[in-house]
Amino acid sequence: ETVATRGACDMAKPLVSHPTLWSECRIEERSRRVQDRARKELLLEDVAETHVVDVAVTSYNANGRTPPEDLDLSQLFEGTANADVHVVGFQEIVPLNPGNVLADSMGNYRGDDSSTRHAKAWEKLIEKHLNGRRDVDGNAYYNVCNRQMVGVYLSVWAKETFRECISDVHTASVGVGVMGYMGNKGAVAGRMRIHHSPICFICVHLSSGGGEVDHQRRNIDAAEVFRRLEFPGLTGSLEPSMSSTDHHSVLFFGDLNYRVSLKEEVLMQLVEQKRWSELFHGDQLSMELQLGTVYTEEWQEGTISFPPTYKFLRGSDTYVGTFKDTSSQKKIRFPAWCDRILWQGQNLLQRSYQASLLNMSDHRPVVASFDWTTHQIDKQKVQALLDGIQRTLDMEDMSRVPTCTLDPLELDLGEVRYGSTCTVPLHLTNVGNVSAYFQLFTFHDTEGFDPYLPKWVVITPPFGVLEPEEQCDISVKCTLRGGADGNAMQAYQGNGIVQKLLVLKIEGGRDFFYYFAAEVCGNAFLGSGP
């Protein structure tokens, strides 16, 4: 699979399957019928352009150590130097002592004081490394956002060329440590949009320990992070807030602290023989990903082909668990893949996943690179497509309206003599797509429609139903009978003209209005004659 094939599949999906992009299109401002049709018909490829962004993620448990000013970070960014976006997460950036934990809980992690000195030292080194060696295009990097909670620290950097494309930048944190809320354990997160695609970065430090209770505590920590982490709604969205997993793409990384569940003697043997693939069979996080209880099926992790990232003797490549220190009462911590990078989102494609050789801490950093497919909505195209949907709906409505033609449109009977009958044919044709029910009425200026025709007019048939493409010949007869009992006086207007407004009403369609007009010849009482 390549980013191109995955991107093509993603673009062929309905736009509504991307809630944030759907909201960006502001389709909710249209009528309900337009919205319903857009949900069925609009594809992402109809309204968006795609871009591929190179995203690098690095996670490092610094073991509370302040980095030397001349520290070379090339190993920390190994293989990802020219990424468009660098996401760097630290755990234990400061010692997790009561003073630091309380300082954070009291809101004292502000300004240029000792509590932020470690973060600023790392930030300075990152900036020096990224901008000390400009990428091949000469692009500089700028700091998009930072967030610190005790020892957990997130720093996001992007190329200057992306500055205009990045919006909706927010950060948040969730403490799950002491009493379930302190910041010695928990997560810091950043959210941003590139083009119109949102992504969330969550840097975490979960509970430590090798026991079964510790394992379950880590699951609880992760569930709490997912539950409590919240951001403001995206600009233009109708939703006031959104959780981390509401974002279409999420990266979840850090010292997750999951260990290897194997018997001690088996574990020791595998570590001594460096049989890492067999050791990985007992990896707790892999088991949790398969169970899907906390980490649902959307969560993915790349293939781990590197040795355990914990626990080393600082400054060496020796695992603590490979020997027994009989002079120490400390519990042996066996090697484990504590440092991990997970993700969810169909538009993320991992290119690499490796451990760094930087040995300043008792952990090894992990680094991953991703091709992230972003989407840029063409709002003019969206509006044009919605206008087209509206026109289609209007045309469909019109196709369901009975449509008829009538010929002729005027009825001039000419001269009519008393006692004679004048007949005029009307041709009514159903040119629509549905049945047409018609009926003829007279119309009074004061009384409106009158279903009863005057005595001197006989229409055959006066009503009926026409199927599509069917024609009906309507006969209109005008008869003036003289004498006291005749109908001539009813029609006569006093000026020698007989006239009446008739209406051919098409139920649900267009009505036809026309006058009967005739010039009366003869005498109403004597009958025919001049």
Side-chain angles (χ1 to χ4, degrees), residues 97-119:
N97 56 50
N100 284 328
V101 175
L102 288 173
D104 178 81
S105 66
M106 296 172 65
N108 294 334
Y109 269 64
R110 302 289 186 272
D112 188 14
D113 54 28
S114 60
S115 60
T116 59
R117 189 181 304 137
H118 291 69

Side-chain angles (χ1 to χ4, degrees), residues 248-268:
H248 197 240
S249 304
V250 187
L251 289 157
F252 184 83
F253 56 94
D255 182 2
L256 276 60
N257 253 323
Y258 285 96
R259 307 304 169 89
V260 177
S261 294
L262 292 175
K263 292 182 179 180
E264 183 174 324
E265 59 272 16
V266 175
L267 199 154
M268 284 290 291

Side-chain angles (χ1 to χ4, degrees), residues 460-482:
T460 308
F463 57 85
V465 178
L466 285 181
E467 298 302 324
E469 300 183 3
E470 186 178 357
Q471 180 176 320
C472 177
D473 292 328
I474 301 174
S475 172
V476 180
K477 295 181 180 180
C478 178
T479 303
L480 297 180
R481 297 190 304 274

Side-chain angles (χ1 to χ4, degrees), residues 378-444:
D378 185 332
K379 295 186 177 180
Q380 289 185 341
K381 185 179 288 187
V382 171
Q383 295 308 312
L385 289 170
L386 294 178
D387 289 343
I389 289 176
Q390 183 65 67
R391 286 193 296 271
T392 299
L393 291 172
D394 291 344
M395 291 177 64
E396 290 176 359
D397 289 343
M398 289 299 296
S399 70
R400 290 189 288 268
V401 172
T403 305
C404 296
T405 60
L406 184 65
D407 181 52
L409 293 177
E410 296 182 0
L411 289 179
D412 186 357
L413 303 178
E415 292 184 353
V416 179
R417 293 183 174 277
Y418 292 108
S420 65
T421 298
C422 182
T423 303
V424 176
L426 294 176
H427 306 290
L428 182 66
T429 305
N430 184 349
V431 296
N433 299 315
V434 295
S435 302
Y437 174 78
F438 69 91
Q439 186 172 6
L440 286 109
F441 296 86
T442 58
F443 187 83
H444 300 286

Side-chain angles (χ1 to χ4, degrees), residues 204 206 215 218-219 222 226 252-261 279-296 299-302 304 306 309 336-343 353 366:
V204 298
L206 305 183
H215 177 183
R218 286 186 278 275
N219 290 340
F226 296 141
F252 184 83
F253 56 94
D255 182 2
L256 276 60
N257 253 323
Y258 285 96
R259 307 304 169 89
V260 177
S261 294
L279 182 68
F280 192 72
H281 291 162
D283 177 66
Q284 293 175 347
L285 180 56
S286 296
M287 298 176 188
E288 291 299 331
L289 288 169
Q290 290 178 2
L291 286 173
T293 305
V294 177
Y295 303 94
T296 54
W299 288 106
Q300 304 177 64
E301 184 180 24
I304 290 184
F306 49 85
T309 60
W337 287 269
C338 292
D339 307 276
R340 311 289 275 269
I341 299 174
L342 310 181
W343 81 90
Y353 189 23
V366 288

Side-chain angles (χ1 to χ4, degrees), residues 41 60 114 142 188 495 502:
E41 295 183 357
Y60 188 32
S114 60
Y142 79 100
V188 295
N495 58 359
L502 294 182

Side-chain angles (χ1 to χ4, degrees), residues 338-355:
C338 292
D339 307 276
R340 311 289 275 269
I341 299 174
L342 310 181
W343 81 90
Q344 66 171 255
Q346 291 300 312
N347 54 348
L348 280 169
L349 186 65
Q350 191 178 68
R351 298 199 322 270
S352 65
Y353 189 23
Q354 59 192 350

